[in-house]
Amino acid sequence: MDERRVPTIYDVAEACGVAPSTVSRAFSRPGRVNADTAARIRRVAEEMGYRANPLARALPTGKTSLLALVVSDVTNPFYFEIIRGAELAATEADYTLLVADVHESATAERTALERALPLVEGVVLGTSRMSDSTIRVMAKQRPTVVLNRVLTGIPSVITDNARGTRRAVEHLAELGHRSLAYVAGPEASWADGMRWRAMRETAEELSLRVHRVGPYAPTLTGGTEAALAVAGSPATAVVAYNDLVAIGLMRGLAAAGVRVPRDVSVVGFDDIFGAELCSPALTTVAAPLQSLGRFAVQTLLSGMRSRTPPDARAALLPAQLVVRESTARRSSRRRGA
């Protein structure tokens, strides 16, 4: 045999003097092959450098032991702990997790899923940018769980956005702020809509003024770009779509001569790695990120194993306000104070 050619099951069968089907069973169902024969087949296969193809073996059963986790931007620290939690849950169940980064693009997300669906047994969509109808089409092909979004009929795991936003607004009101701004994220983000609605409702209850700025990209650059709009507004406090936007906003405000928190208080969302390392340390609504990833995979696997339809109600995980240095009492020097 040409040493440069990858050995096949037929090469192993010929070297052992057995049928290719016997070689196949020796790897996939060793109990159905004579023990001595199975041992000889494995020894010869190792000497030849043959490796059984797990996907090929899985074709008749559809069991690949692979799961897919689709994330909008793997460079966003928001996903670090989600991926870790999902990976731990998958490993505990003897599954391998494939992570696809779709760069905040609904088109790239759909393409990645179309390629992954034939290979995986289930899918977790992390903050999907696809339309509801597209997600439902994909979910008909493989068991699916959605993170940070609620879709009728599809299991989902979300953070308590409403309660977290309410606590952030209450905190700013307690510090004397009466005029607030919300720096919005992507229009396709379900969480963005929930946070803005909760902020408006809470502001109305507390007799606060609130306005929306954006949308902006959910990145440091997006936050920096929002700085001029915030600096030119009467707001003395800001709630940002996420921590990256909040940190970028603080950088942009500093460049414009606006001091945080002396002139403007800033609150982020998610409590990503680095939120407490920036200057000033960021006050933020903390999401249980690793728990989100872990629970999403556990929910997915539970639905895959059950013979009954999966529970399509949204699992709500708690959020809590973490107060640091980026919020302070309202300054009377700020216009609109």
Side-chain angles (χ1 to χ4, degrees), residues 201-273:
E201 292 174 350
T202 307
E204 183 177 357
E205 291 175 16
L206 300 177
S207 299
L208 308 177
R209 296 186 301 276
V210 60
H211 69 278
R212 185 176 183 269
V213 178
Y216 292 95
T219 61
L220 290 173
T221 300
T224 303
E225 291 173 349
L228 288 179
V230 171
S233 78
T236 63
V238 179
V239 176
Y241 168 72
N242 67 10
D243 288 347
L244 284 183
V245 171
I247 294 169
L249 175 65
M250 291 195 295
R251 289 181 180 180
L253 290 174
V258 179
R259 296 160 295 183
V260 176
R262 183 172 178 178
D263 298 326
V264 176
S265 289
V266 176
V267 179
F269 255 91
D270 300 329
D271 197 23
I272 62 173
F273 174 79

Side-chain angles (χ1 to χ4, degrees), residues 9-20 22-23 37 40-41 44:
I9 193 172
Y10 301 100
D11 298 320
V12 176
E14 183 179 357
C16 294
V18 299
T22 303
V23 176
T37 301
R40 180 161 57 90
I41 289 172
V44 171

Side-chain angles (χ1 to χ4, degrees), residues 3 7 21 34 42-43 48 61 67 82 88 126 192 233 250 263 279-281 286-288 296 328:
E3 293 183 357
S21 58
N34 176 276
R42 286 194 296 270
R43 184 181 68 253
M48 298 177 68
T61 64
L67 304 175
I82 288 179
L88 288 172
D192 179 79
S233 78
M250 291 195 295
D263 298 326
S279 182

Side-chain angles (χ1 to χ4, degrees), residues 19-36:
S21 58
T22 303
V23 176
S24 177
R25 286 195 298 272
F27 285 100
S28 62
R29 300 179 179 179
R32 297 184 58 185
V33 179
N34 176 276
D36 292 337

Side-chain angles (χ1 to χ4, degrees), residues 59-230:
L59 288 177
T61 64
K63 303 296 184 182
T64 63
S65 296
L66 298 176
L67 304 175
L69 169 62
V70 181
V71 299
S72 297
D73 181 5
V74 77
T75 65
N76 186 340
F78 169 76
Y79 291 107
F80 293 173
E81 289 301 307
I82 288 179
I83 293 172
R84 177 63 57 84
E87 185 177 39
L88 288 172
T91 301
E92 288 172 0
D94 200 26
Y95 277 78
T96 297
L97 185 72
L98 306 180
V99 178
D101 176 14
V102 296
H103 310 286
E104 291 287 347
S105 167
T107 301
E109 184 175 2
R110 181 167 183 167
T111 299
L113 277 171
E114 288 173 347
R115 293 172 177 172
L117 287 177
L119 305 176
V120 301
E121 294 183 41
V123 176
V124 175
L125 297 178
T127 58
S128 177
R129 303 299 185 230
M130 296 189 300
S131 67
D132 289 0
S133 58
T134 301
I135 292 176
R136 289 195 172 94
V137 169
M138 297 294 179
K140 289 179 180 178
Q141 300 176 60
R142 287 291 185 273
T144 300
V145 171
V146 182
L147 272 179
N148 281 336
R149 183 166 175 173
V150 175
L151 272 79
T152 303
I154 298 178
S156 59
V157 183
I158 62 173
T159 302
D160 195 342
N161 286 282
R163 185 176 181 82
T165 304
R166 169 177 288 275
R167 187 65 195 98
V169 173
E170 290 173 344
H171 168 66
L172 294 172
E174 290 163 2
L175 293 174
H177 296 282
R178 313 306 298 173
S179 181
L180 313 181
Y182 174 67
V183 178
E187 291 183 290
S189 167
W190 179 87
D192 179 79
M194 294 301 101
R195 291 167 187 172
W196 171 231
R197 184 172 73 178
M199 188 169 178
R200 284 189 290 113
E201 292 174 350
T202 307
E204 183 177 357
E205 291 175 16
L206 300 177
S207 299
L208 308 177
R209 296 186 301 276
V210 60
H211 69 278
R212 185 176 183 269
V213 178
Y216 292 95
T219 61
L220 290 173
T221 300
T224 303
E225 291 173 349
L228 288 179
V230 171

